[in-house]
Amino acid sequence: FGIHALLVVTLTLSPVTAAARSENDVTGEDVYPPLWDLAPENLLDFPVKDNKIVLSAWNYQDRLGLYKCLLNASAKYFDAFGPQNSGNILWGLPLQHGWQFRTGRLADPSGETSCGYENGDLLCQSVRNWWSCMNYYLAIIPFLGAVEAGLFGQLPYEIEILPPEEHKGDFCYSVKDCWSRMPKLMDDWKAFFEYLLSTEHQAVSSGSFSSFELDDALGLMWKAHTTSIAYALPKFQDRLKYLSDPEANFGEDWANAVDFIAATHFSTDLPTTNNFQVFLPQRMLVEGDVLPTISGFSPEQNKVLVSLRVLHKANKLTG
């Protein structure tokens, strides 16, 4: 049993659904993360204070805006891989974040605040939420790695990330701060963006723009992605206590599976990621949800959750 089996199960369970989605025009409403149109699309759309661009990483729309800026700034490198930037392999990051938001996986799971709830601050991302904390390392660190690599050119201001109200020591807040605390993560993400930029430099010297090897780019991106998860997993073990046992198990199963998905250099472009995410649970798991018969989930979603569970157990047993 391996990830190839999991991917085969996942991506062939519902060929009709997958085909229907792939035929969607890439501008279809449900193709993009929630509130995508409202997210900032340029770094200078964010507030500037004391000569710094100030970003709130604990607001869904702001975090989504960072992804949008990354996608816009890197679009020219992916022209050869699909229309309207749909072939950009960075789509996996905001689409996964949008799924987290849509399914309630960014709200305060302790129930002590209204952070992330419709009757409170819907766009708030809770620092008590395991998903939200894990995602920090797949949003802020890639973004700062891109800044350092020069993806946005020479910025007129420094970047400052606002801290959460609690657990401030679990995160870093600027290029310099992140570099001093987690150099390996920053190096890996910077290397990915430097690879994209290197193709432009080659084009300038040769006089023609030739696209890079997509598999090489996927290899660098997945290396950075898995490094981020490996760093964040032990750091946020204490956040799992706020989740139901089924949800906590699913979170760890999913984090484990990403290592195997990464090994296949799975393409995280817009249509492929959307087809894949159809099979992820559309709500938080609660006590009483028992695999493989979770109420309200499709047979395919139940099967994928079982596959993730088996993969994680097998991985633990084999060391």
Side-chain angles (χ1 to χ4, degrees):
F1 184 87
I3 192 58
H4 283 289
L6 173 65
L7 287 175
V8 167
V9 167
T10 304
L11 296 174
T12 60
L13 280 171
S14 181
V16 176
T17 308
R21 289 184 71 86
S22 62
E23 284 166 15
N24 263 359
D25 180 65
V26 291
T27 56
E29 272 181 31
D30 63 336
V31 172
Y32 296 107
L35 307 180
W36 184 252
D37 287 346
L38 300 177
E41 52 189 50
N42 185 298
L43 284 181
L44 296 178
D45 292 338
F46 289 94
V48 175
K49 187 179 178 184
D50 299 330
N51 259 359
K52 291 179 180 177
I53 297 171
V54 181
L55 310 168
S56 172
W58 301 98
N59 174 284
Y60 168 73
Q61 209 161 301
D62 267 23
R63 212 183 274 196
L64 197 63
L66 295 187
Y67 287 133
K68 201 171 187 180
C69 292
L70 280 178
L71 276 150
N72 287 343
S74 60
K76 61 185 172 184
Y77 305 108
F78 293 94
D79 280 346
F81 304 109
Q84 295 170 267
N85 204 20
S86 60
N88 194 324
I89 59 175
L90 287 169
W91 273 113
L93 296 173
L95 287 170
Q96 178 74 177
H97 195 47
W99 165 77
Q100 291 164 351
F101 175 75
R102 194 169 53 246
T103 59
R105 287 181 165 87
L106 301 176
D108 182 358
S110 73
E112 292 178 17
T113 71
S114 62
C115 177
Y117 293 99
E118 281 189 40
N119 60 351
D121 184 355
L122 181 61
L123 298 181
C124 172
Q125 294 193 205
S126 175
V127 74
R128 296 180 188 182
N129 195 304
W130 181 84
W131 292 96
S132 184
C133 292
M134 291 290 292
N135 180 262
Y136 192 95
Y137 285 86
L138 290 168
I140 304 307
I141 307 303
F143 167 71
L144 293 177
V147 169
E148 188 64 7
L151 183 71
F152 300 102
Q154 197 66 38
L155 288 171
Y157 308 106
E158 284 182 48
I159 303 284
E160 183 180 6
I161 314 293
L162 295 175
E165 290 181 9
E166 53 185 339
H167 302 296
K168 293 184 173 122
D170 288 337
F171 310 97
C172 59
Y173 303 102
S174 66
V175 169
K176 186 178 176 184
D177 183 24
C178 294
W179 212 282
S180 68
R181 292 166 64 177
M182 48 203 76
K184 175 80 173 86
L185 268 63
M186 290 288 285
D187 274 340
D188 282 359
W189 281 108
K190 185 185 177 194
F192 166 69
F193 289 107
E194 282 180 337
Y195 177 71
L196 298 186
L197 288 160
S198 71
T199 61
E200 188 172 16
H201 298 321
Q202 289 165 14
V204 169
S205 57
S206 68
S208 66
F209 194 93
S210 60
S211 65
F212 50 82
E213 288 295 324
L214 187 61
D215 194 63
D216 290 344
L218 283 163
L220 288 166
M221 187 206 69
W222 277 117
K223 181 177 183 242
H225 193 119
T226 52
T227 303
S228 284
I229 288 179
Y231 182 89
L233 257 180
K235 186 179 274 291
F236 299 119
Q237 281 295 303
D238 66 325
R239 305 297 202 280
L240 291 170
K241 71 186 177 193
Y242 293 116
L243 302 176
S244 69
D245 286 345
E247 180 68 19
N249 287 336
F250 165 59
E252 292 192 293
D253 292 346
W254 181 231
N256 169 78
V258 170
D259 265 344
F260 292 87
I261 294 169
T264 71
H265 288 195
F266 184 76
S267 184
T268 43
D269 58 36
L270 184 71
T272 310
T273 306
N274 270 322
N275 286 339
F276 185 82
Q277 290 198 156
V278 168
F279 303 106
L280 295 180
Q282 73 272 25
R283 62 163 172 82
M284 297 271 280
L285 303 187
V286 296
E287 301 299 348
D289 281 338
V290 180
L291 293 170
T293 55
I294 296 179
S295 173
F297 283 19
S298 68
E300 294 85 4
Q301 287 170 327
N302 271 294
K303 283 177 193 170
V304 166
L305 289 174
V306 170
S307 302
L308 295 174
R309 180 98 284 237
V310 170
L311 183 65
H312 193 185
K313 283 183 177 176
N315 199 30
K316 276 184 175 173
L317 285 170
T318 56

